[in-house]
Amino acid sequence: MALREPEAPPLPEGIADYIAAVKIARDGPRPDLETARLIADANAHRIAVPRPEGMRVTDSFVVTPGLETPVRIYRPACEGAQAAIAYFHGGGFTTGSIESYDCLAAALAEATGATVVSVHYMRLPEATPRAMIDQCFDTLVWIAAMAEPLAIDASRLCVAGDSAGAYIAAQLAILARDRNGPAIAAQLLCYGVFDFDETRPGLAAARDPILTLPIVRMMNATWRECDARDPLPFPPPLETDDLSGLPPALLLGAALDPLLEQSQAYAERLTAAGVDARFETAEAMPHGFLRAQRFSPAARDAMRSLGDAFRSLI
């Protein structure tokens, strides 16, 4: 007798509507990567939320030799220098943009009261992980150097990311320590990928309606193929031997997420290294739920809680 698949878990109010809104292929097979990127940006209005009153949003570029990195800067309405967050979007290292993650970046700025600089980094497979990380590190250095025109407090410069972006943010915190880079005051890491070990116990057991095991495997394979072209000279955050001296970390996991165990493991390793690491799990939530601000009261509550924790930390 064939085994029955486990029933899909119930989702919080509004999450099913969010999943329908961000679905790329409504009928038939998923389009190629280039088309999927365009569709995600063109459909960003489906998950958009109104700008908070008084928030100023500016698009600009970080210019380095041979490269211009688009950034979108969100400044909440308040006087004086603000804390700053360099934010790196998700998308499995291959999709995602400052446009398709606009709703999350704006909500993060509102919840934290910080100026958020959302970074559009190079994506795989056109880029390599090494080029991507170097680009993001250069952007972090630029944000610190532009403290005066950005009207930010460079002593309260933080890194944040969700999913693939959490990997980038965590890696930048390590590199800033090791390369004598900008001082990082805190790291916000939401349902992140912190290594590429497919034997981790949480992967096969998860029942996430968004991030499935085949998608995780495809992401890992793309990472490995691209990394082989120009290997990174350091391991993923979860495989880094020395995590001491890193800034305080707020880690948010999603209960249905196959990457949940990675967030838990990284929080434990940070704590063991003497880092103030605080871990919370959003119950019944799938991967990527923070983009559901338009649809889900629970997602809005989670963002407010993240903002409150950030304000108390900073």
Side-chain angles (χ1 to χ4, degrees):
M1 187 174 72
L3 293 176
R4 295 176 59 188
E5 290 290 329
E7 292 185 6
L11 297 171
E13 177 187 348
I15 294 299
D17 293 333
Y18 159 72
I19 294 173
V22 297
K23 188 175 182 180
I24 296 294
R26 294 185 174 272
D27 297 296
R30 183 178 175 88
D32 63 84
L33 182 58
E34 186 175 5
T35 302
R37 290 169 175 167
L38 175 59
I39 292 173
D41 287 341
N43 291 343
H45 66 279
R46 292 179 177 169
I47 59 172
V49 293
R51 294 271 191 261
E53 184 176 354
M55 177 177 286
R56 298 200 308 273
V57 180
T58 305
D59 287 342
S60 192
F61 300 86
V62 178
V63 183
T64 53
L67 180 66
E68 290 194 2
T69 301
V71 293
R72 183 167 292 174
I73 304 161
Y74 303 78
R75 183 171 177 82
C78 68
E79 298 298 324
Q82 299 177 354
I85 297 173
Y87 165 70
F88 303 91
H89 61 76
F93 304 104
T94 61
T95 62
S97 69
I98 56 177
E99 182 64 25
S100 58
Y101 281 73
D102 176 82
C103 60
L104 197 162
L108 183 64
E110 180 182 22
T112 61
T115 293
V116 170
V117 181
S118 181
V119 181
H120 182 74
Y121 52 86
M122 295 185 290
R123 296 168 290 188
L124 311 182
E126 292 83 359
T128 65
R130 183 169 187 161
M132 178 184 66
I133 295 296
D134 285 345
Q135 175 193 27
C136 292
F137 185 80
D138 289 343
T139 303
L140 183 66
V141 171
W142 178 88
I143 295 171
M146 292 292 108
E148 184 174 352
L150 287 172
I152 61 172
D153 179 355
S155 70
R156 295 188 292 159
L157 173 60
C158 308
V159 291
D162 64 300
S163 191
Y167 174 98
I168 296 173
Q171 196 70 76
L172 292 183
I174 296 170
L175 291 180
R177 178 198 65 181
D178 295 346
R179 294 180 178 178
N180 196 28
I184 305 302
Q187 37 185 339
L188 283 69
L189 310 173
C190 301
Y191 37 83
V193 50
F194 298 111
D195 75 6
F196 303 97
D197 179 4
E198 292 180 9
T199 67
R200 290 202 161 273
L203 291 180
R207 294 183 292 158
D208 195 301
I210 295 176
L211 186 61
T212 62
L213 185 55
I215 293 175
V216 173
R217 287 174 172 160
M218 183 168 55
M219 176 189 71
N220 290 353
T222 300
W223 177 277
R224 294 190 184 100
E225 291 168 6
C226 296
D227 187 52
R229 303 203 307 260
D230 185 19
L232 281 167
F234 43 77
L238 253 176
E239 297 175 16
T240 300
D241 289 335
D242 181 13
L243 297 176
S244 63
L246 293 179
L250 300 174
L251 294 99
L252 176 63
L256 304 182
D257 188 359
L259 304 181
L260 176 63
E261 186 265 342
Q262 292 190 26
S263 291
Q264 293 171 320
Y266 194 53
E268 290 169 1
R269 285 216 54 214
L270 288 170
T271 300
V275 177
D276 179 6
R278 311 174 190 181
F279 175 74
E280 296 288 341
T281 300
E283 295 302 324
M285 282 296 192
H287 187 86
F289 74 89
L290 285 177
R291 283 205 299 163
Q293 299 294 308
R294 175 173 179 170
F295 305 90
S296 169
R300 294 192 290 272
D301 288 345
M303 181 62 81
R304 280 192 292 268
S305 295
L306 187 65
D308 291 343
F310 175 84
R311 291 171 189 264
S312 68
L313 192 64
I314 295 298

